[in-house]
Amino acid sequence: MSATAALSGAEPREVESRDVSVPVFADRNAGYYGSVFERLQKGELPFWHMNLAGLLIPWIWSAWRGVWLMFWVSLALDVVGLVCLMQNFKYGPLLEDAYLDPSANAILIERYTRWLSVYNNVGIATLVLGRLLIGLQANRWYFGQYSKWRIDGRTAHGVAARRVVIAVLILVLVAPITLYRATQQRIDERACFNQVRAIDGTKRLLSSYGVTEVSDLTSAMAERRDRLVTERATLEASASLTDDQRSRLSAIRREERQLRREIDAAEDFKAVTAKDRLDCLFIDDFPTLARVAPPEDVTYRRVPDEEAVAQGRSGATKVIRQVKDPVEGRTVNIFTYTAESIDIGINFLRAQYAGIFDALTNVLRQSLIRVEVAFMLTPWPVLVGLAMILAWAYCGTGTVVFVGSSLTFLAVFELWQIAMQTMALVVVATAICIFVGLPVGIWMAKNRIANWITEPILDVMQTIPSLSYLVPAVAFFGISQPPAVLATVVFAIPPMVKLTALGIRQVPQSTKEAALAFGASERQLLTKVELPMAVPSIMAGLNQTIMLALSMATISAFIGAEGLGAIVTAALGDAQAGKGLLAGIAIALVAMVIDRILKGIRSSLSRI
Amino acid sequence: MSVVEVDGVWKIFGDRAAEAIAAVRNEGLGKAEVLNRFGAIIGVRDASFTVEKGEIFCLMGLSGSGKSTLVRHINRLIEPTAGTIRILGEDIGAMTPDVLRALRAEKIGMVFQNMALLPHRSVRDNIGFALELRGKDAYHRAQLADRALETVSLHGYGDRLPSELSGGMQQRVGLARALAADPEILLMDEPFSALDPLIRRNLQDEFLSLSQNVRKTTIFITHDLDEAIRMGDRIGIMNDGEIVQIGTAEDIVTAPADDYVADFVAGISRLKLVSASKIMVAVESHVARHGPIDDAHDYPTARPEDDLDTLVELSTGTELPVLIRHDGNTVGIVTKDTLLHGLQGTEAA
Ligand SMILES: Nc1ncnc2c1ncn2[C@@H]1O[C@H](COP(=O)(O)OP(=O)(O)O)[C@@H](O)[C@H]1O
Ligand SMILES: [Mg+2]
């Protein structure tokens, strides 16, 4: 690089020279498109300007020229129109049937006729208007593509038979099956299941009879039935039977019953047509009819360990494993298989780590009780006064009034003590969220791998509906307050973690560099620079966490949390709208009071 | 002993730095080739210089020429790929983290282009930051911080937040922060570049007069040659990671090492930079051309170290050449022609 170039700031630049003229872009028929594009740019193209190919053969034209957006839109419009017309095949036969007895089927006839006329009108309108729209838009879309191509040379341009082939493949894949589906009635729910059963059963029979053809199988079975019938007839004909003969007779009857079922299965199998299979595999449900043997039915139980007790360790326990016999011939789908496996896993963990679960439950219960007592023993005037002073110090007079009247609402409706139970749950859950979420957030901000692991987990946690958190909590801890706290923590912790990490990551690189340049250690960097600068973000996370905890504290009433939520769930059960509504308002007010005061504190912090 | 010694420092960014440096040394690859072959960026290329006690050393170059990268080696915010840096005779590459942190906090102050103040701390706490990191108590911190504030004429602003101050004032705070621990060395990475011209001028003057008093060894970075000439006792010019010339302002202006430096120098006024000794013609060659010097005239005289500005002053209002006298002898002659060529920076015909 010469010094002059460097000084003038004009770095030598490779300007790619590419012919971007319409003839190169359009390839065939360039004269026509050249004039159309020119008129379009000048605003001279009349509204009704129409591309005939777009009107008549839109799929082929758009694929040939690579205007894929148009291909998909025209395909969708045509298919919708045709599907509407296809309804004739679906309801036509029904209508004919109904006309066999017009007086009895008057209602049906009227209904089918109405449906068909609506379908036909909509179908024709979609086809005609759709094609018109495509014809009108074709050249305009094509011009859009041209503009894009001028910027990005990789955009589809020219004409290509290869694209037409792709389009035809798509058509073949999409159109026939969709149109066929439109002509068919909904398939009976059990039909596909019965089909699979008949097929599996017949396969088993084929192998047990040692034949390969179904016709052989039926004749073999018929032969066997004839034999049984003759034998039974002779036995029944004789006047007196020995004990042996009598037991033989009942054996024959049993065998006959079994054989009848087998013959039925084979008949079912023969009744399954190719069309039935096609309907089940491709147009009904996703073909997940796979069946597997269920997992082993195991239960784990913790029982006193007599050996160890005998050796002098009193109170020793051990986990035993009990296996139940499998049910003969039971097969389950994959969903059930997985669900049962998970159940077994949870069962094992519960038995194996009973000590840990008990200890955790105990700690949670004790801390809940402590906090609850603190809330409930503090006289309400003190708490109300405190809240109002906070509101007055950090927010405006409006908030003071709001806080005052909200808390009066609780007091007047005698919800105070119950609201304090909810508060206790929220406080304990939030405290756990802070103690766990803050370090995890810091770790996530500092460590790429930690971030890589934690981020998706948090995303999933935030998308799972809150009710689902109750299930594992109940599975491990049963129904009581501690699992409610845990479910609340799990539900409420993501914003704490995420916003802590965000706040730390937001600290500018240059600020951190300055701190290091003045001799800060990693630890000092965290405590004196990163955490203080992340405080607004962390406070925002805390606010969100508290709100989520409050909402989850309500929902976890389903698994035994006390407080306002319990009133709501009880009201749900008894269909007492009034009670539920009042409790709901109380929850909303508590949430708003906390939110307002926290917002006030946050904004006074961020003024610094 | 020099305060700062930088010896053969290379910095190559990228995972394959070691391979890249070997290739550059053996095959003399350029920046673009290294990027292509190793995906590595050459930040600094074989830089060596020393800075003496109390000196202001300017590093000048276009943005991206590696000035910031080089200066960050001096407090080891960046580890060199090769080469050594010695501060007061000690190799900082061999220091343990603790010793290094002590060095940064006590011996080296740094000022940044974007101030990089801590927004949640008051001005006083910002200034006391390095002291706080060393565990100094609050009382002494406040005292030292207030003294530093006075040095940069921001007395009474200690309790403000940085966001309440203007850009120029913030940079004064940045300077005060660097001075608070009374370090021996100041590293200043384009400290005034983000400021308005007038305020920049102001701060330059203040910093110069402050330097007169405190005599800190300073490495001052700028992309502006005027600033480099104003501030620097010596100037190092960087291009593409390489130091292409080191010298005084006059050296650089009168004898640029290459086209790159010459282009920089082209727009610089030589009036105050070039001395008579650089342009004067020897008496004999003058006599050979124009005949002997006539004693009857009252020639204007100047000393060899007088700048062109003085010569212009002397030459106006007379047709006579200026005699350059040293120790009572005439050592050279400056005619109007020589003077005009000297101003232009071209050789007299
Ligand atoms: N951390 C880094 N990783 C990769 N390249 C870097 C890094 N820091 C600086 N560089 C590169 O090194 C070169 C010198 O940058 P820098 O020292 O900031 O220049 P200056 O301060 O002179 O403007 C630039 O090309 C820049 O892109
Ligand atoms: Mg820089």
Side-chain angles (χ1 to χ4, degrees):
Chain A
M1 186 178 20
S2 86
T4 330
L7 280 179
S8 63
E11 295 163 40
R13 219 166 282 167
E14 291 275 308
V15 177
E16 189 194 358
S17 55
R18 185 161 66 84
D19 190 355
V20 292
S21 62
V22 177
V24 176
F25 173 71
D27 199 349
R28 301 288 170 84
N29 231 351
Y32 167 71
Y33 290 110
S35 100
V36 168
F37 289 175
E38 192 184 326
R39 281 189 290 157
L40 195 60
Q41 275 171 307
K42 286 182 182 161
E44 285 171 0
L45 209 61
F47 170 75
W48 58 84
H49 171 85
M50 178 90 64
N51 182 324
L52 273 186
L55 182 71
L56 300 175
I57 43 162
W59 311 333
I60 297 179
W61 180 86
S62 55
W64 196 45
R65 294 201 168 271
V67 194
W68 288 110
L69 171 69
M70 175 170 154
F71 173 79
W72 289 113
V73 173
S74 63
L75 181 64
L77 285 172
D78 285 354
V79 166
V80 168
L82 287 176
V83 162
C84 287
L85 295 182
M86 282 295 164
Q87 304 296 318
N88 281 313
F89 293 101
K90 188 163 160 185
Y91 293 109
L94 292 180
L95 192 57
E96 270 170 36
D97 283 351
Y99 268 120
L100 293 181
D101 187 358
S103 57
N105 292 330
I107 297 177
L108 282 183
I109 291 175
E110 196 269 340
R111 182 186 297 164
Y112 290 152
T113 320
R114 199 177 64 229
W115 283 359
L116 278 181
S117 82
V118 170
Y119 273 126
N120 284 329
N121 291 340
V122 172
I124 291 170
T126 312
L127 281 178
V128 173
L129 294 180
R131 283 301 180 91
L132 279 177
L133 173 83
I134 299 291
L136 287 173
Q137 283 300 317
N139 282 340
R140 294 175 169 90
W141 273 335
Y142 199 39
F143 178 68
Q145 176 126 343
Y146 172 60
S147 315
K148 218 173 114 196
W149 172 74
R150 292 183 60 143
I151 299 166
D152 178 1
R154 287 164 304 172
T155 312
H157 60 279
V159 293
R162 190 177 43 88
R163 290 197 290 253
V164 178
V165 173
I166 294 175
V168 169
L169 283 181
I170 293 172
L171 276 178
V172 168
L173 204 71
V174 170
I177 202 166
T178 311
L179 296 183
Y180 170 70
R181 176 75 180 91
T183 65
Q184 297 298 304
Q185 299 291 339
R186 193 160 166 25
I187 300 165
D188 177 18
E189 270 178 35
R190 303 218 31 103
C192 293
F193 182 69
N194 290 340
Q195 238 178 55
V196 171
R197 207 172 51 181
I199 293 170
D200 285 353
T202 312
K203 263 190 212 141
R204 266 201 303 275
L205 286 176
L206 281 172
S207 68
S208 76
Y209 278 82
V211 291
T212 49
E213 291 299 313
V214 180
S215 55
D216 294 345
L217 177 66
T218 32
S219 56
M221 285 195 298
E223 231 172 74
R224 191 170 146 220
R225 188 182 55 190
D226 291 345
R227 259 204 330 272
L228 288 172
V229 169
T230 345
E231 195 181 347
R232 177 163 56 87
T234 39
L235 279 176
E236 279 171 349
S238 67
S240 65
L241 296 172
T242 64
D243 278 356
D244 268 1
Q245 283 173 323
R246 224 186 311 260
S247 68
R248 174 66 191 150
L249 184 59
S250 59
I252 290 174
R253 287 198 180 117
R254 237 179 295 132
E255 208 179 323
E256 261 187 299
R257 271 202 301 277
Q258 173 68 25
L259 185 59
R260 215 174 299 135
R261 273 203 295 275
E262 291 177 357
I263 291 175
D264 284 348
E267 290 303 315
D268 281 349
F269 176 76
K270 279 200 276 187
V272 174
T273 60
K275 175 177 177 303
D276 291 339
R277 284 305 284 155
L278 177 89
D279 286 0
C280 280
L281 285 184
F282 294 111
I283 71 175
D284 188 53
D285 212 338
F286 213 75
T288 49
L289 297 166
R291 290 293 181 279
V292 292
E296 209 177 16
D297 191 354
V298 195
T299 6
Y300 295 91
R301 259 223 297 277
R302 186 167 277 279
V303 294
D305 185 351
E306 265 126 35
E307 254 175 62
V309 173
Q311 282 169 14
R313 279 189 285 141
S314 65
T317 56
K318 64 177 179 188
V319 175
I320 56 162
R321 183 173 189 269
Q322 294 169 324
V323 186
K324 276 204 209 110
D325 288 337
V327 180
E328 185 68 46
R330 178 174 178 243
T331 56
V332 293
N333 60 15
I334 295 168
F335 175 83
T336 315
Y337 179 89
T338 315
E340 285 183 6
S341 306
I342 293 175
D343 288 347
I344 294 169
I346 290 177
N347 189 292
F348 171 75
L349 291 176
R350 266 183 80 160
Q352 186 66 39
Y353 302 109
I356 297 177
F357 287 120
D358 289 347
L360 195 56
T361 311
N362 238 332
V363 169
L364 286 175
R365 179 167 291 131
Q366 290 306 319
S367 44
L368 253 182
I369 291 173
R370 299 273 140 68
V371 177
E372 220 170 84
V373 165
F375 268 113
M376 308 219 321
L377 287 192
T378 314
W380 68 265
V382 176
L383 284 177
V384 173
L386 217 61
M388 290 179 67
I389 289 174
L390 274 177
W392 176 74
Y394 289 108
C395 319
T397 33
T399 317
V400 178
V401 174
F402 173 72
V403 169
S405 38
S406 302
L407 297 183
T408 315
F409 176 93
L410 294 182
V412 168
F413 286 93
E414 298 187 19
L415 292 170
W416 183 262
Q417 293 287 326
I418 301 171
M420 286 310 112
Q421 287 180 329
T422 302
M423 285 300 295
L425 205 161
V426 170
V427 166
V428 173
T430 308
I432 298 177
C433 283
I434 295 173
F435 280 117
V436 177
L438 210 60
V440 173
I442 294 171
W443 187 49
M444 203 175 142
K446 295 262 170 185
N447 187 317
R448 280 252 305 283
I449 296 172
N451 187 42
W452 188 77
I453 297 170
T454 325
E455 185 101 49
I457 296 179
L458 289 177
D459 285 343
V460 169
M461 279 166 76
Q462 280 185 310
T463 17
I464 290 180
S466 48
L467 269 174
S468 335
Y469 287 116
L470 302 181
V471 180
V474 170
F476 282 107
F477 296 91
I479 289 190
S480 62
Q481 292 259 72
V485 175
L486 280 184
T488 308
V489 167
V490 174
F491 182 68
I493 207 168
M496 192 69 214
V497 177
K498 278 194 162 177
L499 285 162
T500 302
L502 180 74
I504 288 180
R505 262 192 240 119
Q506 266 175 350
V507 175
Q509 195 58 39
S510 57
T511 312
K512 289 191 273 187
E513 186 180 45
L516 289 178
F518 284 103
S521 62
E522 278 295 318
R523 195 195 176 77
Q524 287 170 322
L525 186 66
L526 182 67
T527 55
K528 290 186 189 291
V529 179
E530 290 174 319
L531 279 180
M533 284 177 78
V535 162
S537 181
I538 294 175
M539 286 298 286
L542 181 66
N543 196 346
Q544 283 186 32
T545 289
I546 292 179
M547 290 302 116
L548 287 182
L550 198 56
S551 87
M552 193 63 192
T554 313
I555 291 171
S556 53
F558 280 116
I559 59 168
E562 287 155 17
L564 293 168
I567 302 185
V568 177
T569 28
L572 261 179
D574 305 344
Q576 293 168 317
K579 264 192 186 176
L581 196 67
L582 286 180
I585 293 176
I587 294 171
L589 289 178
V590 171
M592 270 147 67
V593 165
I594 299 178
D595 187 52
R596 287 295 135 76
I597 294 181
L598 272 178
K599 283 229 173 79
I601 296 178
R602 266 171 62 198
S603 67
S604 78
L605 271 181
S606 66
R607 244 179 275 131
I608 292 176
Chain B
M1 184 180 62
S2 308
V3 177
V4 178
E5 287 170 76
V6 173
D7 188 14
V9 165
W10 288 74
K11 178 65 195 182
I12 297 185
F13 294 104
D15 296 331
R16 300 167 61 193
E19 287 172 67
I21 195 170
V24 174
R25 279 181 168 156
N26 298 335
E27 306 167 35
L29 297 189
K31 199 166 177 152
E33 288 161 303
V34 170
L35 185 58
N36 265 338
R37 272 194 26 202
F38 302 99
I41 296 171
I42 300 184
V44 175
R45 190 183 184 108
D46 198 13
S48 302
F49 62 87
T50 56
V51 187
E52 303 304 323
K53 187 163 175 56
E55 186 186 22
I56 299 183
F57 182 77
C58 270
L59 272 175
M60 206 245 9
L62 294 173
S63 78
S65 56
K67 310 179 294 290
S68 300
T69 309
L70 180 53
V71 82
R72 276 161 180 69
H73 281 90
I74 292 168
N75 55 3
R76 213 174 133 194
L77 284 175
I78 297 180
E79 299 278 349
T81 313
T84 49
I85 294 111
R86 273 183 293 277
I87 302 288
L88 298 165
E90 269 191 84
D91 179 5
I92 63 164
M95 286 180 176
T96 63
D98 275 343
V99 178
L100 181 65
R101 279 200 293 276
L103 176 86
R104 286 173 180 172
E106 289 157 9
K107 295 266 163 39
I108 304 177
M110 192 160 178
V111 186
F112 299 86
Q113 174 173 8
N114 55 6
M115 326 334 173
L117 301 176
L118 299 173
H120 58 283
R121 287 166 164 251
S122 69
V123 163
R124 183 176 291 116
D125 288 346
N126 260 291
I127 295 174
F129 186 64
L131 302 164
E132 184 181 330
L133 293 177
R134 299 309 296 166
K136 201 139 195 123
D137 63 78
Y139 178 78
H140 284 102
R141 254 173 17 221
Q143 271 193 333
L144 289 173
D146 282 340
R147 197 175 311 153
L149 269 178
E150 230 160 304
T151 324
V152 298
S153 24
L154 272 185
H155 188 67
Y157 282 92
D159 295 315
R160 301 287 180 85
L161 287 172
S163 56
E164 294 175 275
L165 306 186
S166 70
M169 286 156 104
Q170 285 185 27
Q171 197 51 290
R172 283 166 199 256
V173 176
L175 186 56
R177 177 174 64 174
L179 292 172
D182 198 19
E184 231 149 300
I185 302 164
L186 275 183
L187 305 179
M188 305 181 74
D189 187 357
E190 307 207 22
F192 306 143
S193 295
L195 305 177
D196 299 336
L198 224 60
I199 296 172
R200 187 186 320 169
R201 190 88 192 183
N202 240 326
L203 275 173
Q204 284 170 355
D205 289 340
E206 274 184 43
F207 179 71
L208 278 176
S209 70
L210 190 145
S211 293
Q212 300 279 316
N213 301 331
V214 294
R215 299 307 297 171
K216 301 256 179 248
T217 309
T218 305
I219 295 180
F220 190 103
I221 291 185
T222 174
H223 59 244
D224 176 5
L225 186 59
D226 279 319
E227 189 172 61
I229 289 169
R230 273 172 70 78
M231 310 298 292
D233 296 324
R234 278 188 308 141
I235 300 172
I237 296 193
M238 288 192 77
N239 181 22
D240 265 355
E242 210 168 353
I243 301 187
V244 290
Q245 188 173 8
I246 296 181
T248 61
E250 192 180 356
D251 292 344
I252 285 169
V253 169
T254 51
D258 62 8
D259 284 354
Y260 175 80
V261 183
D263 267 327
F264 262 119
V265 168
I268 294 296
S269 161
R270 305 162 67 89
L271 272 178
K272 302 262 185 201
L273 277 179
V274 179
S275 58
S277 61
K278 289 273 168 177
I279 62 163
M280 65 189 183
V281 181
V283 181
E284 300 82 59
S285 63
H286 178 80
V287 172
R289 277 202 187 175
H290 302 279
I293 298 166
D294 187 353
D295 282 335
H297 295 293
D298 199 1
Y299 287 100
T301 59
R303 284 163 302 154
E305 62 269 23
D306 282 338
D307 59 17
L308 298 189
D309 201 29
T310 320
L311 294 182
V312 170
E313 194 77 14
L314 292 172
S315 299
T316 44
T318 167
E319 290 302 316
L320 296 170
V322 183
L323 299 186
I324 309 299
R325 294 178 70 87
H326 184 62
D327 285 344
N329 300 323
T330 302
V331 293
I333 289 182
V334 176
T335 62
K336 279 238 166 69
D337 275 6
T338 338
L339 186 53
L340 287 174
H341 279 299
L343 279 173
Q344 230 183 5
T346 50
E347 289 292 315

